[in-house]
Amino acid sequence: MGVPVAGAASAPLSDLVARDAREFGVYARTGGWAFGLMVARSVRPGGQGADETPKVSAKEFAALAGCSPDRVMRYYKAWDRAADDGLVPQFEELAPGQEVELPDADVWLTYYVSRSGAASERGAAIAEAAEAEGIRPTKALEVAENPTALRAAILADPSTARAARAALLDRVREDPGLQAELARDVVRTDDLKKAVASESRSADRIGYVRQIAESGQVRTPAGQTIDAPVDLRQEAERHLSLLDELDEGEDAGEWASEAYDTLKSLVVEAVEADPELRVQERRTKFYSSLQKATKAFEELTFDDAQDFYEDDMVQRLEELQHAIGSCLESRGGGRAGEL
């Protein structure tokens, strides 16, 4: 057979080619609806006997089509759901070979689920979540049934990894079991553990800045809570504004450290600049140290120490007694003699 030459008279159009073109056009316009109609008008609905209709069972139709009955039933169920919504005629209204006006191709994917897993409770939950996100259930089900592909996409593509992270965080809030698993993964992975510690430190420092800016109060190095001077609060507000303007993915660690160190220094300067506050700060610090020393001394169990008293222990106790006595004497007291 010769090869057609450009410019030569065109050969008569083959009926087979014309039929293929028509069928292609139908599918291009209607997508899966074209095949759904074939099933809907040829497969008898449940409850109808073979003697009531020329239609055949899904099993017989599948055998004639050379595919599985499950595949036929997926088209059957998609048409059934669309018929319930009034989009297409019911099965009983259709006869073999009948043509009807079909919906647009894009609408088909709203009703058709290509995987039998969607019929399970898990599949239904995935489909529902997909609809809530505004995507086709078939896409979500395809991903769920191929976790290796999902892993590959996450490993290879940063944007996919970010989307997975966001979804995982949303899931973690409602899944205590997953929270515990992630926590164990973090503490068992040195790099993650360090990263969490670093982020926690940054969060604490940002919280310190926010506390001053929003409440107008600040804790001194000795632990006093005081009203922040106006210039200190303004500086906190300035740093907080810079921190809040950072992009979501931008590392706030360096900014948080700078803000924290700056405000800490300003707090010390504010204390030193106020004579009354400076004295109160020294008193608070001394009293805090005294309480710690008292608690430590009270925890010593002298009754149990008789068996292992050593010279250096006795010497330490004598030095402690002497230091306390000297402190009391310096305060002008004869109470040192009571020791």
Side-chain angles (χ1 to χ4, degrees):
M1 182 180 292
V3 178
V5 179
S10 59
L13 183 65
S14 165
D15 290 340
L16 294 177
V17 172
R19 187 186 69 182
D20 281 349
R22 285 194 299 272
E23 291 181 357
F24 180 85
V26 170
Y27 185 77
R29 291 190 303 274
T30 63
W33 291 114
F35 297 116
L37 175 60
M38 294 176 191
V39 171
R41 68 191 182 190
S42 300
V43 174
R44 62 175 178 263
Q48 276 194 337
D51 56 344
E52 301 177 49
T53 175
K55 298 181 180 182
V56 298
S57 69
K59 184 176 181 180
E60 292 176 277
F61 188 88
L64 292 169
C67 65
S68 69
D70 284 345
R71 185 173 181 81
V72 172
M73 286 306 298
R74 289 199 289 273
Y75 282 85
Y76 182 97
K77 291 175 182 177
W79 189 276
D80 190 32
R81 285 190 284 268
D84 287 342
D85 287 348
L87 207 63
V88 293
Q90 296 287 345
F91 295 104
E92 293 79 5
E93 301 173 25
L94 297 171
Q98 182 176 347
E99 296 291 343
V100 298
E101 186 175 351
L102 297 173
D104 291 338
D106 291 344
V107 184
W108 171 253
L109 293 173
T110 305
Y111 295 94
Y112 178 73
V113 178
S114 62
R115 286 165 173 75
S116 58
S120 66
E121 183 177 345
R122 172 177 175 267
I126 293 171
E128 182 179 348
E131 291 174 358
E133 294 289 336
I135 62 172
R136 297 196 301 268
T138 50
K139 288 291 185 183
L141 287 163
E142 182 178 357
V143 171
E145 291 187 7
N146 197 344
T148 303
L150 176 61
R151 171 183 166 82
I154 291 172
L155 291 174
D157 179 40
S159 62
T160 302
R162 284 192 292 271
R165 177 184 63 83
L168 194 59
L169 287 176
D170 288 342
R171 177 62 186 265
V172 161
R173 294 186 181 98
E174 301 176 358
D175 190 336
L178 184 58
Q179 289 178 15
E181 290 176 12
L182 283 177
R184 285 194 293 269
D185 289 340
V186 168
V187 299
R188 292 170 181 171
T189 308
D190 288 341
D191 289 344
L192 285 178
K193 188 161 57 174
K194 291 176 182 176
V196 169
S198 176
E199 288 298 321
S200 178
R201 184 165 56 251
S202 294
D204 288 343
R205 290 176 172 179
I206 293 173
Y208 177 81
V209 176
R210 191 177 301 278
Q211 166 70 20
I212 298 174
E214 295 181 352
S215 72
Q217 292 189 318
V218 63
R219 284 176 65 86
T220 67
Q224 294 187 85
T225 299
I226 62 173
D227 292 331
V230 174
D231 58 341
L232 175 59
R233 186 170 185 178
Q234 289 176 344
E235 186 68 9
E237 290 171 349
R238 185 181 72 81
H239 279 283
L240 184 61
S241 176
L242 292 172
L243 289 166
D244 288 342
E245 289 175 3
L246 293 177
D247 294 334
E248 183 180 352
E250 193 170 354
D251 184 11
E254 185 176 347
W255 294 87
S257 294
E258 181 183 348
Y260 180 81
D261 292 342
T262 299
L263 294 180
K264 278 285 189 179
S265 297
L266 290 176
V267 170
V268 172
E269 292 176 8
V271 170
E272 290 298 318
D274 186 330
E276 183 178 347
L277 185 57
R278 185 169 65 247
V279 171
Q280 183 63 24
E281 181 78 353
R282 291 169 61 191
R283 179 189 180 280
T284 302
K285 184 177 181 181
F286 179 85
Y287 191 68
S288 175
S289 299
L290 181 60
Q291 284 184 309
K292 292 177 182 177
T294 301
K295 182 178 180 180
F297 188 79
E298 289 173 347
E299 290 176 352
L300 293 175
T301 52
F302 293 100
D303 292 341
D304 298 333
Q306 300 295 333
D307 297 334
F308 53 80
Y309 257 140
E310 298 176 359
D311 292 342
D312 63 330
M313 294 181 184
V314 175
Q315 182 180 350
R316 287 289 185 89
L317 288 172
E318 289 174 346
E319 291 172 353
L320 177 60
Q321 181 185 35
H322 179 72
I324 295 174
S326 298
C327 178
L328 292 175
E329 287 177 0
S330 69
R331 299 300 300 165
R335 295 181 61 187
E338 298 175 7
L339 292 177

